[in-house]
Amino acid sequence: MKILNLNEGSFPINFSIKLKEIDVPNIGKLQKDLLVDAEIQKISKDLYRCIGQFKAYFKDVCQNCLKDTRVEVSNNINVTIKDLTEMHNDSSEQDQTHYQDLEYFDLHRFIEEELAIIYPDIVKCSENCLEGDISQDKEKNLPFKKIRDLIE
């Protein structure tokens, strides 16, 4: 666990982290290290910004065919960081704001939260998974076709 005190120190804070495991529920299993390269900048007294990128590969299950599939998660980070005490008083309308205690800022928790936001909701092994099989099933699934043909 990497804890920073954002209220003290010099900025920007540059960091490169390789995480071998993560604790995010309802996502696949991490296959390779989660790589994070980022920088925390101080904008004002209680306002910070983190910019950077992360990349990871996961093993997950396709939600259509239930085969194991590889999921690549790669994204840029551009998040405002504010103190936890400002969460309910904040009226800034920013959609990418991370709230955490600035004196005990947990980098792993921050990274895990960003990963949970970015991870795909629907995992498919390919864009057209089972699309060909669905059209065949529609033709097969006509139980009264013979009776209808006899009536006509």
Side-chain angles (χ1 to χ4, degrees), residues 140-147:
K140 290 180 184 177
N141 199 9
L142 298 173
F144 300 106
K145 184 176 184 326
K146 289 183 178 181
I147 295 172

Short mmCIF file of all heavy atoms in Angstrom, two decimals, residues 140-147:
data_model
loop_
_atom_site.label_atom_id
_atom_site.label_comp_id
_atom_site.label_asym_id
_atom_site.label_seq_id
_atom_site.Cartn_x
_atom_site.Cartn_y
_atom_site.Cartn_z
N LYS A 140 -34.47 -22.67 -36.65
CA LYS A 140 -34.73 -23.95 -36.00
C LYS A 140 -35.89 -23.86 -35.01
O LYS A 140 -36.59 -24.82 -34.79
CB LYS A 140 -33.49 -24.44 -35.26
CG LYS A 140 -32.36 -24.85 -36.15
CD LYS A 140 -31.20 -25.31 -35.29
CE LYS A 140 -29.98 -25.66 -36.09
NZ LYS A 140 -28.85 -26.02 -35.25
N ASN A 141 -36.07 -22.72 -34.40
CA ASN A 141 -37.00 -22.58 -33.31
C ASN A 141 -38.40 -22.18 -33.80
O ASN A 141 -38.95 -21.19 -33.38
CB ASN A 141 -36.46 -21.55 -32.31
CG ASN A 141 -37.11 -21.67 -30.96
OD1 ASN A 141 -37.83 -22.61 -30.71
ND2 ASN A 141 -36.84 -20.71 -30.10
N LEU A 142 -38.95 -22.97 -34.71
CA LEU A 142 -40.31 -22.76 -35.20
C LEU A 142 -41.08 -24.07 -35.04
O LEU A 142 -41.28 -24.83 -35.99
CB LEU A 142 -40.28 -22.33 -36.67
CG LEU A 142 -39.56 -21.01 -36.97
CD1 LEU A 142 -39.46 -20.79 -38.47
CD2 LEU A 142 -40.28 -19.86 -36.31
N PRO A 143 -41.59 -24.34 -33.83
CA PRO A 143 -42.19 -25.65 -33.56
C PRO A 143 -43.49 -25.91 -34.32
O PRO A 143 -43.84 -27.05 -34.57
CB PRO A 143 -42.43 -25.61 -32.06
CG PRO A 143 -42.49 -24.17 -31.71
CD PRO A 143 -41.58 -23.48 -32.67
N PHE A 144 -44.24 -24.89 -34.73
CA PHE A 144 -45.52 -25.09 -35.39
C PHE A 144 -45.47 -24.83 -36.89
O PHE A 144 -46.49 -24.71 -37.55
CB PHE A 144 -46.59 -24.19 -34.75
CG PHE A 144 -46.77 -24.48 -33.29
CD1 PHE A 144 -46.28 -23.60 -32.34
CD2 PHE A 144 -47.40 -25.63 -32.87
CE1 PHE A 144 -46.44 -23.87 -30.99
CE2 PHE A 144 -47.56 -25.91 -31.53
CZ PHE A 144 -47.08 -25.02 -30.58
N LYS A 145 -44.26 -24.78 -37.44
CA LYS A 145 -44.11 -24.49 -38.86
C LYS A 145 -44.75 -25.58 -39.73
O LYS A 145 -45.45 -25.28 -40.69
CB LYS A 145 -42.63 -24.33 -39.22
CG LYS A 145 -42.39 -23.94 -40.67
CD LYS A 145 -40.94 -23.73 -40.93
CE LYS A 145 -40.58 -23.24 -42.28
NZ LYS A 145 -41.31 -23.65 -43.40
N LYS A 146 -44.56 -26.83 -39.38
CA LYS A 146 -45.14 -27.92 -40.18
C LYS A 146 -46.66 -27.89 -40.12
O LYS A 146 -47.33 -28.12 -41.14
CB LYS A 146 -44.62 -29.27 -39.71
CG LYS A 146 -43.16 -29.49 -40.06
CD LYS A 146 -42.71 -30.87 -39.65
CE LYS A 146 -41.26 -31.05 -40.04
NZ LYS A 146 -40.75 -32.38 -39.70
N ILE A 147 -47.23 -27.61 -38.97
CA ILE A 147 -48.68 -27.55 -38.85
C ILE A 147 -49.22 -26.38 -39.67
O ILE A 147 -50.22 -26.51 -40.37
CB ILE A 147 -49.09 -27.42 -37.36
CG1 ILE A 147 -48.69 -28.68 -36.62
CG2 ILE A 147 -50.58 -27.15 -37.22
CD1 ILE A 147 -48.86 -28.58 -35.13
#
